[in-house]
Structure formats: C-alpha cells, structure tokens
Amino acid sequence: KYDLSGQRLTAALTIDNDPGERFPDFISGFASCRLLTIGDYKACFGQGLVMWNGMSFNSLGEPSAQKKSQSGIKGYRGSDESDFLRGLALRLKMRKSELSIFASCNGRDARLVDTGYTSISTTGLHVSETERIRKNSLHEYLAGANYTRAFGTWQVGITGIGYFYDKPNASRVTETSRLQRYDGIWGNVGINFFGSEGNFRFFGEVASDAHLAPAAVAGVLWRPGYALEMGVQSNYYSPTYIATHSAGTT
C-alpha cells in the first residue's frame, strides 16, 4: 500500500495478491481533492438502508453502536475486492448542507452462461483457472446522490441510487430466491434523520426499492452520564425489499 496525504490532495494505491494468484491480482487506487474523488471510493449515507459500503466502526457492543455515523464519500484503501465503488464522486459543501453525486462502473466475479449470469462471487480469490475466467466477467453501473441539511441540532438527508448489470439474471428461480431476485434497472431511495435533545439522541431512516417494498429503522439513545448509556432500536424489512448496496442492521 502507498498513501499520500496533503493539504489539497489525498491519494492511495493498493496492490493485493492472495497465495497462488497471478501478480498483480487486485489493484485499487484513488485521488481526491476538496470537491472531487476519482478512482475507488466508499459511499456511506443515513442508516445504511440505501447506500453503505464497508462496516460501521462504532464501539461494538455498546448501545451507541446501534446508530450508524454517516461518513459520505471517502477514498477506498481496503483490499476487499467487491465492497467499493469505482468511478467519480463530487462532494459540494455549503454552510448548512452537503450534496454528494457519484457514479460507478465496477467489475464483479460471476458465473456466466449463454443467457446471462447465474451467481456472483465476493471472495476475491482467483487461484484456479475457473476463478480467473470469472474475474470481472460482469459489470455493474451505478449512479446516485445524497443531500443532507442541518437544522440546529437535527439533520435530515435523502439518498437515491439506481443500478444495473450489463448481463441479464439467468439464475434459477426458487421459492426462497424469488423474493430477493431482480433483473434490469433497479434502485432505492430513502430519507434519514438524526437529532439530539438533552441527553437523548434520535435516529432513523425509511426506504423503498424500485417495486415500492419498504424498509425502516428507528432508535433512541439515552446517556445521562459518562458511566451509563441505554438505547432501543426497531427495524422493519419487507420480505421483498431488495437493496444490493445496503448495510446489514441487527
């Protein structure tokens, strides 16, 4: 890995090889100035029902870990070969609001047949000849935007994304897979909020996919003192809600 951090420019380069792979197997990099990011990046917005790459690193096991902390657009420095976006991202900061616009075209390892793809692999391993053939054999195109505005101790944001693969879904339809299967252009939109009143912090997000299947998360944290913190969270996911780029919520 190589990392460069300056006042006006931040850049990074990652070259990764697993044992048995041909060198170089995975190359990732980005360059970022105040407004623009080019290359590989992460996008994390709201409570993760619509768009969230990577993990949420709040203190695991503590009540505050229930709430995700939006980081927006960040250059990608990891070695996971599937959980990032590749393209351009524009981040405009104003006094009380922020607008992020992003677009991506990224390869996916997939098993292909004459009619399309039947499965997608996220292991990042390319040791066998079959794994090398499947490497980046499928491409995903994605575009999205987020607008967040502050209102005193509260902030409200809206996130929308649209995406599709360059080959049709040819996987076999089963009783379980039919609820989480899509083909062609898909997308998600969500509205999120976060605010504090005294010792209480409130957070949540409501979202929908392209077929109007809903999902929602809401919670409240209470911290009256340094040694005590309590929280409660409620989640709802429609069985047919499909959000390929969302983060898991437990």
Side-chain angles (χ1 to χ4, degrees), residues 190-214:
I191 299 175
N192 67 85
F193 67 89
F194 170 71
S196 61
E197 297 290 342
N199 296 325
F200 293 90
R201 289 178 290 165
F202 305 88
F203 62 93
E205 184 171 16
V206 293
S208 171
D209 67 12
H211 283 181
L212 302 182

Side-chain angles (χ1 to χ4, degrees), residues 23-163:
F23 181 85
D25 178 70
F26 176 63
I27 300 176
S28 173
F30 75 90
S32 179
C33 62
R34 188 171 64 90
L35 300 177
L36 183 66
T37 298
I38 301 175
D40 297 343
Y41 61 92
K42 299 188 297 181
C44 299
F45 297 107
Q47 292 302 303
L49 292 185
V50 173
M51 183 76 245
W52 195 281
N53 297 122
M55 298 178 63
S56 179
F57 288 103
N58 287 14
S59 300
L60 298 179
E62 297 184 1
S64 58
Q66 298 176 61
K67 173 194 170 294
K68 288 181 168 60
S69 298
Q70 172 175 307
S71 59
I73 303 295
K74 296 289 185 181
Y76 183 67
R77 291 178 168 88
S79 56
D80 187 313
E81 299 184 25
S82 60
D83 195 19
F84 64 92
L85 302 178
R86 174 167 286 176
L88 301 172
L90 183 66
R91 191 173 186 178
L92 302 174
K93 291 186 177 182
M94 293 150 272
R95 194 166 69 92
K96 292 186 177 182
S97 60
E98 182 174 309
L99 174 65
S100 299
I101 303 171
F102 47 97
S104 169
C105 173
N106 204 0
R108 294 283 187 264
D109 295 356
R111 180 179 180 273
L112 302 183
V113 294
D114 291 341
T115 54
Y117 72 93
T118 60
S119 63
I120 297 175
S121 172
T122 59
T123 65
L125 294 176
H126 307 110
V127 177
S128 68
E129 188 62 30
T130 298
E131 290 171 335
R132 296 188 187 110
I133 292 173
R134 294 177 180 178
K135 180 181 178 181
N136 294 333
S137 58
L138 182 71
H139 288 83
E140 181 190 53
Y141 296 89
L142 179 148
N146 169 269
Y147 178 74
T148 300
R149 181 175 175 81
F151 300 90
T153 59
W154 290 76
Q155 71 175 31
V156 177
I158 181 170
T159 307
I161 60 173
Y163 44 93

